[in-house]
Structures are given as C-alpha cells and as structure tokens.
Amino acid sequence: MFDFETILTTIAPEVLLAAAGLLGVTVGAFLGDRFNSLSFKFGAIVLFAAAALAGYYWDGGRAFDGLVETSSYANFAKVVSFVSGGIALLMAEGFLRRHETLRYEYSLLVIFAALGMGIILSSANFMTLYLGIETLSLSSYVLASFHRDSPRSAEAGLKYFVLGALASGLLLYGMSLVYGFSGSTSYEVVAEAETSMGLLFGMVLMITGLAFKVSAAPMHVWTPDVYEGSPSPVVAFFATAPKMASMVVFAIVMFTAFPQAMATENWQLIIAIIAAASMIIGAFGALPQTNLKRLLGYSSIANMGYALVAIAAGVQYGAGSLLIFMTAYVIASLGLFGGVLSMRREGGMVEDINELAGLIRRQPGLASALTLLLISVSGFPLAFGFLGKLAVIQAGVDSGMWPLVIILVLSSVIAMYYYLRIVKIMWFDDQAEDFEPVDGWVTVTVYLAALVSVALLIFVSPFSELAETVAAGLIS
C-alpha cells in the first residue's frame, strides 16, 4: 500500500507539477488559443506553489523503496530552481506575443522541465535520475527550437538535441557499468560497493554526461550556439533553473554514490581538471564576443567551472559553498537576461553589446540595476557574487586545491575585463538609439534581481548559515 503522507513529504512539488502539467494539457486541448495568455500565469503560479511546497516539506523524506529521497539540501535547490523558473516564464509572455509565437505549449514545457528538475533533485537511484534527466532534456530541446520559423532557433534546437543525445548515451552507459560492477542502481548500495576498475570507468562516463548538463568543458561546445540561437526567454530559463538543479544533482551524485576513498580521489581529480578547463575556456572565450547572449554563454561556462571547484573540494568543504555560489549566479543571470530582453527596437531584438552605449542617460534605473548585477556576477569585492566566489575559494583552500584556486582567481580577473567593458559602454560611450519600452515583468525582474543581490549582501550571515546547515544534513 502507498503511504501518501510519506510520498507527499518526499515529492509533493513533483506531484503538483505532474498534475498541473496534465491539467494544462487537457485545458489546452479544450480551449486552444484562448488558453495561450492564461497559461503563463497558470505556469508561474504552479512553479511558485511547487517552491512553497518544497519549503513546507523542508526536511524531506524517503519513498518508493528508496527510489526517491529528499533532504533540506535538495529542497534548497528546488526552491531556487522553481522560483527562478517561474520568473523566467513570466518574462517570456511579452517576447513570445511580439514574435507571434505565444502558445500555451511553452508554459507546459516549462512545467514539465521543472518536473524533471524536481525528479533529479529527489533521486536516490540511477533509474530515477535518468528518468528526471530525460524529462528535463526533452522539454529543453523543444524549448530551444520553439521559434520554429527562425533558422537560428531550429539550428540551436537540433545542435542541443544531437549533442544531448550523445551525452545521454554516455550517462546511461556509465550507469549500466556501475550497476554491473556494484549490483545495484541505488546510490546507497553503490556507495557500499567495492571499488573496481569497471566501477571507476562507469563513474567517469557518468561525470562526462553530467558535465554536458551543466555545460562544463569539454562538453560545453553547445552552450554559446544554443544561447545565441534560442529565443531569449528560453535562454533566461536555461541559464538559471536547470543550471541550479543540475549542478546540485552533480554534487549529490558524487557525494552520496561514490564516497569510497579510491573513487573520491579519482572523481575529485577529474572534476578539478574539468573545472580548470571550464574556467579557462569560459574566460578567454568571452573576451572577443560582441553578442551579449554569446558572452553570457561563455560566462556560464566559466561560472560552472567555479561551481565545480566547490564539488571538487568534497562534501565537507564544498557542499555549502556550492549553494551560496549558485544562488548568487542564478539571481544575477535572471537580471542580466532581463537586460537582454529589454534590448528591443522597431526592427526587432538587438543583441550587440554596443547597443547598450549611453544607456545610463536614456534609462538610468535600468543601467544602474544592470551595473549592479554585472558587478555581482564578476565577483567584484563587496558584491554578493564576490561573497559566493569567496565561499568557493575558501572551500578550495581548505581542501588544499591551491592550483585550482589560483586558476579561479586569474580567470576571475580576466572575466572582470569583459564585464566591466559592458559597464563602461553603458556609462561612458556615446548614446545609441533608444530602446522601445519593455514589458513590466522584465523591468520588475531586473530591479528585483538587483534588490535581492543587495539584500543578500546585507543578510549574508544568516543566508550562509542556512546553506551550511542544510549542507551539514547532507554530510550526516
């Protein structure tokens, strides 16, 4: 018999998302285009409600014979992922209406992608993990090519699908090897299995597949092209909610399924190499970019490298740091993609960084908010993003990974150049042509992201204590 109370304690947000997604499909089938606009409010409310449920059942539980298990660590990531997904959905409506692609399927795809995020964060078994990853991935492939009349969008979707299928195959093959050499797909049983060469080989293949999901090097090649070609609201979603969920799942799998001394030694070394490559490629790749979306794509690769430093540091030092850093990154990314969505003229969207010239004289509020967010994501001292990066550096130092810390600091210095170049263009260059008025939700998101960055900077101590507390639960 099912214990519904245990099920709700463990996966209440996922139950809500699945029910809401199926309800949306049914309503859409009956109402057709009349559901288009309403579906975006419906989707955002569902995502915010899912975040509230994750907060309500904060301590989590275990259900379905250990196929799913949640903790406050996973629920922390769920809250950030669902809230950022809901905000990204609200920002999308105006953009899609102007491009005559406003369809209710968009919000339903975001709901099902969020369901995939919830499943992977609740997984305690490789089968559940794979089910969640595919639910998230299939929705993402369609979202990337949602503007089907645009060759750029279609190309982005195709690239994402082909490379994603390759990564999915590697991940599944890795899981099958781990199952073959451990006798189980449960994280708990695999963690107690004897370390062997076959198990390690499977683990390496799994790391390769997971690296694709977080766009870490050398599986990063899809990121700049998909960021540039996909509709801007879709990229705002890709850069925030799935990134938070995938990176935290990456950490949970490494920390809980492969804690054996020999396995830990190997995955820490592999992830350290991936982190270093991501930071270097992201920092240098962004330098020559003039397209703001491509620049943010390379910035994403570099930032995932910083986050991987926290994972490489191990569960004791890096678990809490990862949550602090990823939260700062998600908040800044939401605001910056709001800035991308505000770059609109009569001829359509513009994405060249030089179009921001003199923005401080045309829209001082928007320019100031974007400046604050750029300073935060660059890791400039006394910004919330700096404190997130400082937490990662501390984790690297405590675990003795000095070469990785040095690469992080140097790549951050390089990254500051291209972030501050945008600030210089907005504040000091000759004024470019005015943008058309932006949607209310886009403006609110940019200002809200800047405000939350400042608020978290002021209340950084209780926020850090919360992150460390939930991380301590994962260690125990």
Side-chain angles (χ1 to χ4, degrees), residues 36-242:
N36 285 346
S37 183
L38 181 63
S39 69
F40 285 77
K41 284 84 173 177
F42 169 75
I45 290 171
V46 168
L47 286 167
F48 293 145
L53 280 175
Y56 183 76
Y57 294 108
W58 185 248
D59 292 332
R62 182 184 175 95
F64 297 114
D65 266 342
L67 283 172
V68 289
E69 182 174 358
T70 50
S71 62
S72 52
Y73 193 77
N75 280 326
F76 186 110
K78 283 186 189 178
V79 170
V80 176
S81 299
F82 295 153
V83 169
S84 56
I87 294 173
L89 188 55
L90 288 173
M91 284 200 297
E93 184 179 351
F95 177 94
L96 297 174
R97 179 177 287 111
R98 284 192 299 276
H99 288 78
E100 299 179 350
T101 52
L102 185 70
R103 293 193 292 272
Y104 68 84
E105 289 91 341
Y106 183 96
S107 55
L108 299 185
L109 285 166
V110 171
I111 290 174
F112 285 120
L115 173 62
M117 288 186 273
I119 292 173
I120 59 176
L121 283 167
S122 302
S123 63
N125 189 293
F126 292 138
M127 293 299 96
T128 321
L129 174 66
Y130 192 73
L131 174 70
I133 283 179
E134 287 307 296
T135 305
L136 170 59
S137 298
L138 290 173
S139 303
S140 301
Y141 301 148
V142 182
L143 283 171
S145 54
F146 197 78
H147 194 179
R148 60 189 179 193
D149 294 329
S150 164
R152 283 204 317 172
S153 180
E155 181 186 345
L158 185 61
K159 281 182 180 173
Y160 197 15
F161 172 71
V162 172
L163 293 173
L166 174 65
S168 182
L170 291 173
L171 180 67
L172 191 58
Y173 186 42
M175 287 176 178
S176 67
L177 282 175
V178 172
Y179 168 69
F181 284 92
S182 67
S184 176
T185 53
S186 164
Y187 295 178
E188 192 175 3
V189 178
V190 171
E192 293 171 354
E194 186 179 344
T195 308
S196 63
M197 191 54 67
L199 184 80
L200 292 179
F201 192 62
M203 181 189 74
V204 172
L205 289 175
M206 285 188 63
I207 290 174
T208 307
L210 291 170
F212 174 88
K213 300 301 174 189
V214 298
S215 61
M219 304 296 285
H220 68 283
V221 289
W222 61 275
T223 311
D225 291 341
V226 171
Y227 271 47
E228 184 182 7
S230 301
S232 297
V234 174
V235 188
F237 175 69
F238 285 171
T240 52

Side-chain angles (χ1 to χ4, degrees), residues 214-410:
V214 298
S215 61
M219 304 296 285
H220 68 283
V221 289
W222 61 275
T223 311
D225 291 341
V226 171
Y227 271 47
E228 184 182 7
S230 301
S232 297
V234 174
V235 188
F237 175 69
F238 285 171
T240 52
K243 279 282 192 296
M244 179 78 188
S246 302
M247 189 56 80
V248 171
V249 168
F250 202 155
I252 290 175
V253 170
M254 292 297 109
F255 294 157
T256 60
F258 301 105
Q260 309 93 327
M262 187 177 172
T264 300
E265 188 180 319
N266 280 276
W267 67 250
Q268 281 186 312
L269 176 62
I270 294 167
I271 290 179
I273 294 170
I274 293 175
S278 300
M279 289 186 284
I280 294 169
I281 290 172
F284 283 102
L287 280 178
Q289 302 302 325
T290 56
N291 181 292
L292 189 53
K293 286 166 71 178
R294 281 189 77 83
L295 185 145
L296 291 175
Y298 279 104
S299 164
S300 165
I301 296 166
N303 276 283
M304 292 307 101
Y306 305 148
L308 286 171
V309 174
I311 298 179
V315 62
Q316 183 179 356
Y317 303 116
S321 308
L322 179 68
L323 294 183
I324 298 170
F325 176 81
M326 285 304 297
T327 303
Y329 172 73
V330 165
I331 293 169
S333 293
L334 265 180
L336 290 175
F337 275 101
V340 172
L341 285 165
S342 71
M343 296 170 64
R344 181 167 60 87
R345 297 212 176 95
E346 191 174 348
M349 299 298 294
V350 288
E351 297 168 1
D352 195 300
I353 293 169
N354 292 316
E355 301 292 340
L356 291 167
L359 186 67
I360 190 66
R361 292 184 284 284
R362 291 179 282 138
Q363 294 172 268
L366 179 65
S368 300
L370 289 176
T371 300
L372 194 61
L373 293 167
L374 285 165
I375 287 173
S376 179
V377 79
S378 70
F380 202 78
L382 300 180
F384 182 56
F386 170 73
L387 296 175
K389 205 171 280 187
L390 194 62
V392 172
I393 291 172
Q394 185 66 51
V397 170
D398 289 344
S399 60
M401 294 189 165
W402 281 101
L404 213 51
V405 171
I406 292 170
I407 294 173
L408 191 158
V409 173
L410 291 177

Side-chain angles (χ1 to χ4, degrees), residues 456-471:
L456 286 177
L457 180 65
I458 295 169
F459 298 104
V460 66
S461 292
F463 181 76
S464 300
E465 285 172 12
L466 174 65
E468 294 298 339
T469 301
V470 299

